[in-house]
Amino acid sequence: MTRTIASAKLDIAPSSIYYLPDFITPAEEQTLINKVLTAPKPKWVHLKNRRLQNWGGIVSDRGMIGEPLPVWLSYLFPRFREAGVFEGMDAAHQDPNHCLVNEYLAGQGIMPHKDGPAYLPTVATVTLSSHCVLELYKYPENKDQGERDSTTEDNRAQEPEFSLLVQPRSLLVLKEDIYKKYMHGIREITEDDLRKGNILNLPEAMPQGIEETPVLERGTRISLTFRIVQKTLSAKKLFLRR
Ligand SMILES: O=C(O)CCC(=O)C(=O)O
Ligand SMILES: [Fe+2]
């Protein structure tokens, strides 16, 4: 039975972080990895420090021309519902309608950024293949709210306030304050020293303790980031409007 996110809320400030280990089984993990890796080649967008696939539609400030998520991704919706991940977010959306797939080789990462206002403030991330440490940075109060991918040099210079260890097959849910007032990023390193960096969910992510393996070597990690884009435009409606 799926645990609910309410029972997996991290008992720490700031609020609204939920970490569920073993959200999917190893067999489901392997199926998802195969689906990602056998997606049509043009689906991949190659960036300097990672590659990604965009499912559900291209998000812009005007909204998203939505297309249903493929079954291998929507397969997880009942699991999200059982866990209450997107519960009460929006009457029109019981399930996420957008998924970004990111692949990071060891040593790759993503600069500190906010996900911006196109999405409702709940992001659910399923991690495949390798762990990573997500670092959370307080968003400077004096900055414009809502700019997407505010990946500037001064963001990089800032030290993270805390971090989260996300293990393969886990689900991480970030909501509300942590979504709106913090930036998240992944350092471009090949191993993580768990004794450093104020990792808030160590008991949940390393129940065996860190004495034997205080340093985790990174492999290739694939993340599935599910969100709700509230403003959607159907291609049909756009066509009729002409
Ligand atoms: O890979 C992750 O867990 C984070 C991805 C992310 O922050 C994004 O795509 O906006
Ligand atoms: Fe992000």
Side-chain angles (χ1 to χ4, degrees):
M1 210 189 81
T2 309
R3 289 173 67 201
T4 62
I5 61 163
S7 70
K9 193 173 196 308
L10 291 194
D11 200 14
I12 37 118
S15 60
S16 306
I17 305 171
Y18 308 82
Y19 179 78
L20 279 84
D22 300 310
F23 183 68
I24 56 169
T25 65
E28 289 171 326
E29 178 189 30
Q30 200 50 57
T31 303
L32 288 166
I33 294 169
N34 292 344
K35 288 291 184 186
V36 169
L37 296 182
T38 56
K41 262 216 166 99
K43 232 11 224 182
W44 285 109
V45 177
H46 293 262
L47 304 180
K48 200 177 93 236
N49 51 0
R50 67 193 154 104
R51 59 175 185 162
L52 60 88
Q53 295 171 10
N54 188 84
W55 295 97
I58 302 292
V59 182
S60 79
D61 290 343
R62 289 176 50 220
M64 175 176 83
I65 300 176
E67 56 190 20
L69 292 180
V71 172
W72 57 274
L73 289 171
S74 61
Y75 163 84
L76 289 170
F77 290 178
R79 209 69 67 81
F80 290 145
R81 284 196 190 199
E82 258 183 80
V85 175
F86 294 96
E87 204 168 83
M89 291 297 298
D90 179 42
H93 298 98
Q94 305 290 316
D95 298 309
N97 57 4
H98 191 260
C99 181
L100 210 56
V101 176
N102 282 295
E103 184 199 62
Y104 310 85
L105 307 178
Q108 295 188 320
I110 186 167
M111 291 265 282
H113 66 281
K114 286 215 299 183
D115 288 349
Y119 307 99
L120 289 181
T122 288
V123 49
T125 304
V126 177
T127 289
L128 311 173
S129 256
S130 172
H131 80 283
C132 93
V133 171
L134 190 74
E135 300 191 309
L136 283 297
Y137 302 73
K138 190 106 180 93
Y139 193 72
E141 299 282 347
N142 56 355
K143 273 207 183 184
D144 277 352
Q145 289 297 310
E147 40 184 304
R148 185 176 154 77
D149 272 357
S150 46
T151 48
T152 58
E153 288 299 318
D154 53 314
N155 288 347
R156 208 207 310 237
Q158 200 190 330
E159 277 303 303
E161 191 169 296
F162 62 89
S163 46
L164 298 164
L165 172 60
V166 286
Q167 293 280 23
R169 298 177 295 285
S170 72
L171 176 73
L172 177 71
V173 182
L174 304 179
K175 280 178 174 278
E176 299 301 333
D177 264 13
I178 202 78
Y179 184 95
K180 294 177 190 157
K181 297 186 181 159
Y182 281 76
M183 297 181 292
H184 51 278
I186 299 167
R187 234 181 262 267
E188 296 182 336
I189 52 180
T190 55
E191 53 181 37
D192 293 286
D193 188 335
L194 304 180
R195 294 162 296 196
K196 295 182 185 157
N198 190 18
I199 301 173
L200 291 186
N201 66 330
L202 264 189
E204 291 81 5
M206 289 289 284
Q208 69 274 41
I210 64 166
E211 290 72 26
E212 268 178 37
T213 46
V215 178
L216 294 185
E217 212 160 295
R218 285 192 194 173
T220 298
R221 169 175 176 263
I222 293 171
S223 66
L224 313 178
T225 302
F226 291 88
R227 286 176 281 216
I228 295 176
V229 179
Q230 204 169 18
K231 228 183 343 170
T232 52
L233 315 153
S234 79
K236 203 165 133 199
K237 260 195 217 150
L238 272 187
F239 180 75
L240 289 175
R241 221 183 273 162
R242 283 195 193 141

